Amino acid sequence: MIADRLDAFAALLELQDANPYTIRAYRRAAETIRTSVLSVADLVRSGRARELRGIGPGIEARLRELIETGQIAELAELERELAPDLVGLGRYLGLGAKRSVELARSLGVRTADEFRDAAAAGRLRSVPGIGAKTEARLLEALGRAGESAPRNGLLLNRAMDLLRGIATALDGEPAGDVRRWRDSCEHLSVVCATRDPSSVLSRFAELPQIVAVLDRDDRRAIGVTIDGVPLELITAEPERYGTALLRATGSHAYVAALEPLPEAPEETAVFGALGIPWCPPELREAPFRGVPPELVKRTDIRGDLHMHTTWSDGRASAEEMGRAARDLGYQYIAICDHTPAVGAVRGLSPDDVRRQAEEIEAANEALAPFRVLRGIECDILPDGRLDLPDDVLSELEWVQASVHGGQRMPAREMTKRVEDALRNPYVRCLSHPKGRYINRRPENALALDRVFQVALEQRVAFEVNGLPDRLDLSGDHVRAALVAGVQVVCSTDAHSTRGLGNMALSIATARRGWATAGDVVNTQPLDVILDRRRR
Ligand SMILES: [Zn+2]
Ligand SMILES: [Zn+2]
C-alpha cells in the first residue's frame, strides 16, 4: 500500500511535468519497498528507512508523513488539482494529460462521470478545437469502454505488479494476459470467488490503483488506472469459480474452441469434465486439446549465464552476484560484462578482462563449491567481427555475442553479420537475438531460419533474455528455434542482485515457446556447460 501511494505520487508528478529524476526516484523507491523483506513502516518509525536502496531524505520525509498521518498532503493536493480519474479516462481515450485537464475545464466538469455525461449530452463539440470527427472518435471510445485494448499494452512485470496488488487486496487471482505471461499485456483481469459480489465490486472501485470505474454490472466492473489502462474485475459464485478463471485467462481463441465450458469450482475440474488434460496458461494461445509437454520450470535451472558487474554497467561485484545466485539455489553463474564497442556504457578492454579474472578467482575462493565463470558479452561489430581478439576470448569460459549498435541494418547485412559472428569458435550464445524493446523499438531484420542453421552447425545456443522490456527471443521465436533443433539459454541479463529475479520472466517466455528442461542449456550441470566449448 505504501508503494502504491508512492507510485501514484510519481504518476501525478509526471502529469505536472516535474523533474524526471524525481519521478524516477519515487518509482524506484516504490519498487524497493515492494520487494523489501523488512517492514517499511517499522524502518520509518525507527528512523532507518534510508538503509533501503534508493530512499533519500526527501522520500524518507514523505514516508514518515504517510505513516504518521495516513496520507501525503501534497499528493492529496495534486489529486484534487489534477483529477486523476479524468486524466486516467483521458489517457484511455488517447488524450494527453494536459489536454484532458483542459477539456475538463472547458466543459466545467471535475470527474470522469461528469465528463461522460457531458459527452453523452453532445457538449464536446462546444469545446474549441474539437470538431465533429474528434467528437465521434471520443464518443465511440467511451461507448466501447473496456472492450478494446489500449494501443500499447503494459510490460509484463508492470502488469504483474499491478494485478498482484489488486488480486491480493480483493482476495482474488490475476487472469488475462498476465496469467499467460504475455510480454505486453492488454487484457488485464482479476477473478474473485464470492457470494457477495457487490461488496467486492465496491472495494475494487475504492482501490488506490483504480482512478475511475468505466462500467459496472452485478458481477463485473471495468476500472481504469492512472495510466489509462482498463482492467476488468470478474466475480464468480464459488461453485463456478474454475470456469470463470479459465474464461478470464483466455486467450479468446483458445477458450472459444473449448466452449461450451462445464461449470466447476476448480479449473482442473473444468478440464477434467471436458475430458482433456489441464493446460498450462502459457500454452493457451491457439486452440489446443492435446497433452501438453512437461515444460521447463524454475527448479530445473542450475545457473544464470548472463549478468553484469560494476566492471561495466552493473551495480554489484562478481562476488555479490555469486552470493545472491547461490542463495537462489544455483550452482554457477557467468559474469558477462560489456566490451568497448557497446558505446553508451563502460566496456572491458583485453587488459580489463584479464584483471577482472583476479576478482572472479577471489569470488570463486570465497564461494566454493559454487562457480563463477569468466564470461563476456562481446559486441558483434558491424562487419561481423567480434570486439575482442580470439586469444582473449579463448581464455573465457562462456562467451555471449550481442548486436547493440546498428540494429536497423537491412536483413541481408544483419543476417550475414550475425552468421559471421556465430562462426567464431568461442561464441556459445547469441544474446537478445532480435534486439527488440517491447513497445518501443521493433525487432531487427535478422533472418532467424538462416542463423538457426549456422547455430546448429556451430553448437551456439540462443538466449531468452529476461529483461522485462526485452524478453528476446519471444515465445514464438523460442518455438521456431526448438523446431530447428537449436537450444535456448534462460538468462536474466541482471545488472543488480535483484535483477536475478527476472529468471521467472525468461522461463515463462521459454515455456510460451513450449520449451522443456532438455531444451534449455542452463538446466545442465556445470561440466556439460563447460563441455560446450569447442576444442
Ligand atoms: Zn546486451
Ligand atoms: Zn547484458
Side-chain angles (χ1 to χ4, degrees):
M1 211 49 131
I2 294 175
D4 291 336
R5 296 311 283 162
L6 290 190
D7 264 339
F9 196 40
L12 290 172
L13 288 173
E14 198 164 27
L15 298 184
Q16 257 206 332
D17 290 329
N19 179 345
Y21 178 79
T22 310
I23 297 165
R24 262 204 306 279
Y26 276 95
R27 292 230 157 93
R28 241 197 322 264
E31 246 179 88
T32 302
I33 289 170
R34 221 169 250 129
T35 52
S36 168
V37 287
L38 304 169
S39 155
V40 175
D42 288 350
L43 287 177
V44 170
R45 281 191 206 102
S46 57
R48 291 169 52 215
R50 283 161 74 181
E51 289 174 18
L52 292 172
R53 184 193 286 278
I55 311 274
I59 294 178
E60 185 189 23
R62 302 287 189 204
L63 287 174
R64 183 174 299 282
E65 188 189 350
L66 180 58
I67 281 153
E68 284 168 2
T69 70
Q71 67 159 350
I72 300 175
E74 193 183 342
L75 173 60
E77 181 64 30
L78 279 176
E79 278 179 340
R80 267 193 300 280
E81 215 175 275
L82 293 167
D85 65 333
L86 255 177
V87 174
L89 179 63
R91 286 228 167 118
Y92 170 77
L93 296 174
L95 301 171
K98 287 213 181 92
R99 185 76 181 123
S100 307
V101 172
E102 281 165 22
L103 205 56
R105 271 197 201 119
S106 316
L107 288 169
V109 301
R110 291 200 52 82
T111 67
D113 279 345
E114 288 172 15
F115 179 87
R116 289 153 67 85
D117 290 346
R123 290 179 49 215
L124 278 177
R125 226 187 301 182
S126 68
V127 178
I130 295 218
K133 253 169 95 177
T134 310
E135 182 191 22
R137 184 175 64 77
L138 292 178
L139 286 175
E140 196 237 349
L142 280 171
R144 60 181 154 75
E147 283 166 24
S148 77
R151 276 179 307 268
N152 273 346
L154 280 188
L155 290 182
L156 177 57
N157 63 331
R158 297 276 301 178
M160 202 161 259
D161 281 350
L162 176 68
L163 284 206
R164 282 180 180 162
I166 292 173
T168 304
L170 300 178
D171 202 12
E173 203 173 341
D177 292 352
V178 164
R179 188 159 176 248
R180 302 198 320 282
W181 297 79
R182 279 180 64 101
D183 48 25
S184 170
C185 296
E186 291 164 4
H187 183 199
L188 303 178
S189 150
V190 168
V191 189
C192 296
T194 179
R195 296 212 183 280
D196 182 8
S198 77
S199 88
V200 176
L201 291 168
S202 303
R203 271 157 61 210
F204 174 68
E206 294 302 314
L207 290 175
Q209 297 94 330
I210 298 299
V211 294
V213 172
L214 299 179
D215 194 20
R216 175 174 170 168
D217 63 24
D218 294 346
R219 299 218 137 264
R220 70 189 259 292
I222 292 168
V224 61
T225 70
I226 188 140
D227 298 312
V229 178
L231 192 152
E232 185 179 35
L233 174 72
I234 294 163
T235 66
E237 295 284 340
E239 303 76 53
R240 302 187 183 89
Y241 177 73
T243 312
L245 179 63
L246 200 166
R247 235 181 229 125
T249 299
S251 68
H252 186 72
Y254 174 83
V255 174
L258 296 183
E259 296 279 7
L261 294 183
E263 288 184 337
E266 310 280 344
E267 205 185 57
T268 45
V270 184
F271 281 94
L274 287 168
I276 57 175
W278 181 81
C279 180
E282 294 94 327
L283 301 188
R284 300 184 198 171
E285 295 301 325
F288 177 68
R289 305 181 75 100
V291 180
E294 180 76 36
L295 298 178
V296 60
K297 48 191 192 305
R298 170 62 183 77
T299 48
D300 296 326
I301 300 292
R302 300 201 203 206
D304 189 339
L305 292 168
H306 182 173
M307 66 191 63
H308 296 264
T309 70
T310 47
W311 282 79
S312 63
D313 54 346
R315 286 200 228 137
S317 68
E319 184 177 331
E320 286 166 333
M321 294 304 279
R323 202 173 290 283
R326 193 178 65 174
D327 290 347
L328 292 173
Y330 296 149
Q331 295 160 12
Y332 54 84
I333 55 169
I335 300 296
C336 295
D337 280 309
H338 288 291
T339 57
V342 70
V345 301
R346 203 171 98 82
L348 276 63
S349 68
D351 259 10
D352 293 330
V353 171
R354 285 171 176 142
R355 282 194 293 131
Q356 190 187 38
E358 294 162 28
E359 184 183 320
I360 291 178
E361 196 185 312
N364 275 314
E365 268 164 38
L367 301 175
F370 182 88
R371 275 295 302 278
V372 181
L373 302 183
R374 286 180 67 199
I376 197 81
E377 178 176 11
C378 189
D379 257 62
I380 302 175
L381 302 175
D383 63 3
R385 283 181 305 126
L386 291 174
D387 196 21
L388 287 175
D390 278 3
D391 66 313
V392 177
L393 295 178
S394 74
E395 289 175 19
L396 299 174
E397 295 163 298
W398 183 258
V399 175
Q400 301 257 149
S402 302
V403 170
H404 288 121
Q407 291 278 1
R408 291 220 198 112
M409 267 185 185
R412 280 238 320 265
E413 282 148 65
M414 180 60 101
T415 304
K416 167 92 170 47
R417 174 184 181 185
V418 171
E419 281 174 347
D420 285 354
L422 298 193
R423 289 205 169 93
N424 177 294
Y426 303 106
V427 170
R428 306 287 131 65
C429 181
L430 180 66
S431 321
H432 41 73
K434 291 294 277 173
R436 68 170 179 169
Y437 278 111
I438 298 166
N439 296 337
R440 251 165 60 207
R441 182 170 83 188
E443 298 177 343
N444 62 34
L446 184 68
L448 281 176
D449 48 343
R450 299 261 313 269
V451 285
F452 285 156
Q453 291 316 307
V454 180
L456 210 51
E457 288 158 28
Q458 303 288 326
R459 297 194 67 209
V460 176
F462 273 48
E463 179 177 77
V464 184
N465 187 295
L467 290 174
D469 53 356
R470 285 197 184 268
L471 300 181
D472 178 12
L473 299 173
S474 67
D476 285 345
H477 288 153
V478 168
R479 198 159 188 198
L482 299 181
V483 168
V486 172
Q487 285 195 305
V488 296
V489 181
C490 285
S491 294
T492 60
D493 200 351
H495 287 68
S496 64
T497 53
R498 258 201 62 212
L500 296 170
N502 285 331
M503 185 58 84
L505 299 179
S506 173
I507 293 170
T509 304
R511 287 167 62 92
R512 285 176 58 81
W514 297 63
T516 65
D519 298 321
V520 180
V521 171
N522 50 319
T523 61
Q524 301 299 309
L526 181 63
D527 52 333
V528 179
I529 303 288
L530 293 176
D531 216 35
R532 288 181 71 86
R533 298 179 72 155
R534 276 164 265 131
R535 284 147 295 203

